Amino acid sequence: EEQESELEALESIYVTELEILSRDPIIYNITIPCEMKSVEVDGPTKEFMVGLKFKLPEEYPDVPPQIEFSECEELDADLQKSILIELNKVAENELGCVMIFTLVSELQDKVNEYVDNIYNKKMEEKEERDKVPVFHGTPVTLESFTEWNNKFIMEKNMKKVKVVSDKLTGRQIFLAKDGNIDISDNLIGDAEEDVEVDESLFDEELEDELLEVSDSD
């Protein structure tokens, strides 16, 4: 009679969650809905079910009910074992009193704790990923490549003039300016000052142009 009274009370509490499998002996499943939030702002919430199967011995509630999982797809084997151990401890402490509602509440607490731990772990991982800077390079276009290439060639040409003195001669100034190379004033010295120039470094095209200028004079 005590078992039947408890079952009626449970049916009014768990209207859709309770499924009676047998009345002699009394066996039923109680399945509770659970959910796991996404760490993403617009991420979907994952819903799943966890169920317990209770088989009541004739001496219940003076002896504990037999408890096993009826549905637990989101819980690994170690967690299932841990939860069942905790539920049996609670049952031992509740002997002499009807206890199914207390056991289901304990299950709900354990699952919520598990879900919170998973959520917090994923949130920490997300925060660590967000700390890592993402490099965004500048896209290479024909215009930017041409600008870089021209600058590279100009710097390369500047190295062709090998000056042994700290001043440039008139010839070096003329050639450098003809190649559009900027020259600071402190490099311009007397045209009569002796300077060694490695003429083989000049382009043949520049030499021809200089000869034409010389002839015209």
Side-chain angles (χ1 to χ4, degrees), residues 130-197:
D130 292 343
K131 290 180 182 179
V132 178
V134 179
F135 176 75
H136 299 285
T138 303
V140 177
T141 63
L142 178 59
E143 181 179 358
S144 62
F145 174 78
T146 301
E147 181 180 355
W148 170 86
N149 190 51
N150 290 339
K151 182 178 179 181
F152 174 78
I153 292 174
M154 180 178 294
E155 291 175 351
K156 185 177 180 181
N157 287 337
M158 289 179 67
K159 295 178 182 179
K160 290 183 179 181
V161 179
K162 183 179 180 182
V163 182
V164 180
S165 171
D166 61 347
K167 301 292 184 177
L168 296 181
T169 65
R171 174 183 176 81
Q172 290 174 304
I173 296 169
F174 179 82
L175 292 176
K177 288 186 175 181
D178 188 66
N180 294 323
I181 302 173
D182 292 334
I183 303 173
S184 62
D185 292 337
N186 63 351
L187 289 179
I188 301 176
D190 263 346
E192 297 179 356
E193 189 174 351
D194 293 334
V195 178
E196 289 183 17
V197 178

Side-chain angles (χ1 to χ4, degrees), residues 28 30 35 49 55 66 73 81 88 94 102 138 148 160 170 172 215:
Y28 50 82
I30 297 179
E35 63 179 29
M49 307 294 288
K55 182 178 180 180
Q66 297 178 19
E73 61 182 22
K81 183 178 179 180
N88 281 301
E94 295 291 327
T102 301
T138 303
W148 170 86
K160 290 183 179 181
Q172 290 174 304
D215 291 343

Side-chain angles (χ1 to χ4, degrees), residues 196-214:
E196 289 183 17
V197 178
D198 188 349
E199 297 184 2
S200 63
L201 296 176
F202 294 99
D203 293 332
E204 292 181 1
E205 183 178 349
L206 292 176
E207 290 284 359
D208 292 340
E209 292 177 0
L210 289 173
L211 290 175
E212 292 177 6
V213 172
S214 177

Side-chain angles (χ1 to χ4, degrees), residues 39 119-132:
V39 295
Y119 175 83
N120 291 335
K121 182 178 179 180
K122 289 184 177 180
M123 181 60 73
E124 289 176 0
E125 293 173 351
K126 180 179 182 300
E127 290 174 351
E128 288 299 320
R129 289 196 304 270
D130 292 343
K131 290 180 182 179
V132 178

